[in-house]
Amino acid sequence: PIIAKKMIEDRSRDYMNARRVAKEYEAVTRGLNRNMPSIPPTGTPDEAKQVDLWKKYISWEKSNPLRTEDHAVIAKRVMFAYEQCLLCLGHRPDIWYEAAKYLEESSKLLSEKGDLNAGKMFSDEAAAMYERAISTLLKKNMMLYFSYADFEENRMKHQKVHSIYNKLLGMEDC
């Protein structure tokens, strides 16, 4: 009976935490249009409202609503939010940049904590995020090219930096 009582208390605590987070999630994501087509920015008030709502949702995920100690879990939740956002706002370079920067910061944090494998994984994911941005919707965005090159330079991947700049210089109609 004592073991059962302790297990019930533990599960009850987890349940209450999940319930609290679910209610907060509903409140934070209310108003988000997840079916909005990804088109170049138009500057309409409705679009600005959606951008603001997405950024609030991402900030909420960054605030660690689950109150977990595992930074990898937090980072995965935040990146899920960014990926969802990019489905609707894929033509906005600031979102791509913020997502890659977040992965870079997570990589540094995990490496400092001693989790080198996860640190390298997040660093590689940041590079993949930049690569996706400059290979798909934002092929002509110089800011992303320069940010990507700076990121790779910090990782001492000079050959990759060279190829990024060559790709930028090889573009027509910059």
Side-chain angles (χ1 to χ4, degrees):
I2 297 171
I3 294 173
K5 187 175 183 180
K6 180 162 179 18
M7 287 177 68
I8 289 172
E9 286 175 4
D10 288 346
R11 294 289 178 208
S12 178
R13 196 175 315 116
D14 291 344
Y15 168 74
M16 293 307 284
N17 189 33
R19 193 170 127 190
R20 175 189 55 78
V21 171
K23 283 184 180 180
E24 286 179 23
Y25 174 81
E26 280 185 35
V28 168
T29 58
R30 190 173 296 122
L32 275 180
N33 181 2
R34 294 170 192 256
N35 298 322
M36 187 171 87
S38 182
I39 57 173
T42 55
T44 62
D46 187 47
E47 181 186 34
K49 181 182 174 201
Q50 285 299 310
V51 170
D52 189 48
L53 287 170
W54 277 110
K55 288 189 176 189
K56 283 180 182 169
Y57 168 49
I58 291 167
S59 294
W60 178 76
E61 285 291 0
K62 285 180 180 178
S63 74
N64 188 11
L66 290 176
R67 298 181 186 138
T68 181
E69 299 293 319
D70 188 359
H71 186 74
V73 170
I74 301 165
K76 286 177 183 171
R77 286 182 58 97
V78 171
M79 285 316 298
F80 178 77
Y82 272 119
E83 290 291 349
Q84 293 291 300
C85 179
L86 287 169
L87 290 174
C88 299
L89 303 174
H91 287 273
R92 299 188 65 90
D94 57 322
I95 309 274
W96 286 96
Y97 176 74
E98 287 173 22
K101 226 32 184 165
Y102 180 78
L103 283 168
E104 189 179 346
E105 290 164 9
S106 295
S107 168
K108 286 178 184 168
L109 184 73
L110 287 166
S111 294
E112 287 169 6
K113 286 185 174 180
D115 193 349
L116 298 178
N117 289 337
K120 182 172 179 357
M121 182 187 77
F122 281 121
S123 182
D124 292 344
E125 282 184 32
M129 180 67 69
Y130 279 121
E131 193 63 44
R132 272 177 48 207
I134 65 170
S135 299
T136 56
L137 299 172
L138 299 168
K139 289 180 181 168
K140 298 181 179 182
N141 189 286
M142 286 188 191
M143 181 200 79
L144 288 172
Y145 279 92
F146 291 133
S147 299
Y148 184 22
D150 187 50
F151 168 72
E152 291 294 5
E153 193 171 357
N154 288 337
R155 294 197 324 163
M156 301 297 174
K157 298 204 174 187
H158 302 293
Q159 193 62 38
K160 184 66 182 171
V161 173
H162 190 70
S163 71
I164 292 166
Y165 284 130
N166 282 336
K167 187 174 181 178
L168 177 62
L169 292 172
M171 277 190 327
E172 294 179 18
D173 305 337
C174 272

